[in-house]
Amino acid sequence: MPTWRTVPQPVREHAVAAASVLIVLLCTAFILHTPPPASIAAMVGVPSAPGGPGYTALVVFQEKDCESNLQMLRLFQRPRLRPAFQERGILLASGRGAGDARLRALVSAEHPSFPFRLGTERDARTLHALGMSQTPYLIVLDGAGRVRYSTPAPAGPTEYVALARDLEQLASQLAGGAPGEGK
């Protein structure tokens, strides 16, 4: 059986060139096959037409998030905020299952009407492109699907109060209050 050293030099060069071309073709096919990140609006089902109803509050979770990190969901139960925001959630699954089920049960017990679904790899890429580096993470979209506000979950009482104030300001803008851009 011939070894690589016994193969004539021109044949070895052609084999290396062919292997290089094959690698380039495979990489190109992989890159072209990978779908681009989705828009945040498409990911949560916000209509793309201007003038849609209210805001959509997207809360992104992972299984490692603990109960105290989910306290920001209570903000959307406040009477001044409830009519202005449609809540949606995405659970970025780890694939291990047990933690995902625990978090689903926790969110469902505390907030039974809160709709959420398992996220995909494409969702994760889109969220990371937006700047999400930790969870829980809140993204507020206007009726046209534009991101109006995004922030990680509050780390303490001062940040929680600031988040509540910012969300109330967004709600008042919707009701025709003072203009402002949020965060």
Side-chain angles (χ1 to χ4, degrees), residues 38-104:
S39 73
I40 297 290
M43 186 170 41
V44 297
V46 174
S48 58
Y55 294 109
T56 299
L58 173 66
V59 183
V60 183
F61 306 101
Q62 290 185 85
E63 72 167 272
K64 68 178 182 165
D65 296 328
C66 63
E67 186 174 351
S68 64
N69 285 342
L70 303 178
Q71 296 303 314
M72 77 172 153
L73 291 177
R74 291 187 178 160
L75 288 173
F76 297 105
Q77 300 308 313
R78 291 182 174 190
R80 290 183 63 191
L81 297 180
R82 190 177 311 133
F85 293 91
Q86 277 187 335
E87 301 168 86
R88 306 267 173 95
I90 291 184
L91 173 60
L92 296 178
S94 67
R96 290 193 291 273
D100 296 342
R102 177 198 62 82
L103 186 60
R104 275 180 170 271

Side-chain angles (χ1 to χ4, degrees), residues 16-41:
V16 169
S20 299
V21 168
L22 183 60
I23 290 170
V24 168
L25 289 174
L26 289 172
C27 289
T28 303
F30 177 76
I31 290 169
L32 292 176
H33 179 66
T34 303
S39 73
I40 297 290

Side-chain angles (χ1 to χ4, degrees), residues 72-181:
M72 77 172 153
L73 291 177
R74 291 187 178 160
L75 288 173
F76 297 105
Q77 300 308 313
R78 291 182 174 190
R80 290 183 63 191
L81 297 180
R82 190 177 311 133
F85 293 91
Q86 277 187 335
E87 301 168 86
R88 306 267 173 95
I90 291 184
L91 173 60
L92 296 178
S94 67
R96 290 193 291 273
D100 296 342
R102 177 198 62 82
L103 186 60
R104 275 180 170 271
L106 182 64
V107 171
S108 295
E110 286 284 321
H111 310 278
S113 64
F114 183 76
F116 65 99
R117 66 172 175 80
L118 286 177
T120 64
E121 276 298 315
R122 188 175 186 191
D123 294 338
R125 284 195 310 273
T126 301
L127 293 163
H128 288 291
L130 179 68
M132 183 191 82
S133 60
Q134 67 186 53
T135 59
Y137 198 82
L138 171 66
I139 302 167
V140 175
L141 304 163
D142 66 14
R146 294 179 301 248
V147 175
R148 294 295 306 261
Y149 188 92
S150 66
T151 185
T158 304
E159 290 180 14
Y160 189 85
V161 169
L163 175 59
R165 185 184 61 243
D166 290 347
L167 293 175
E168 287 178 1
Q169 181 181 5
L170 280 172
S172 71
Q173 289 174 23
L174 191 64
E181 282 301 314

Side-chain angles (χ1 to χ4, degrees), residues 2-13 15:
T3 65
W4 184 251
R5 291 178 193 238
T6 61
V7 174
Q9 179 71 20
V11 173
R12 282 190 292 193
E13 290 173 0

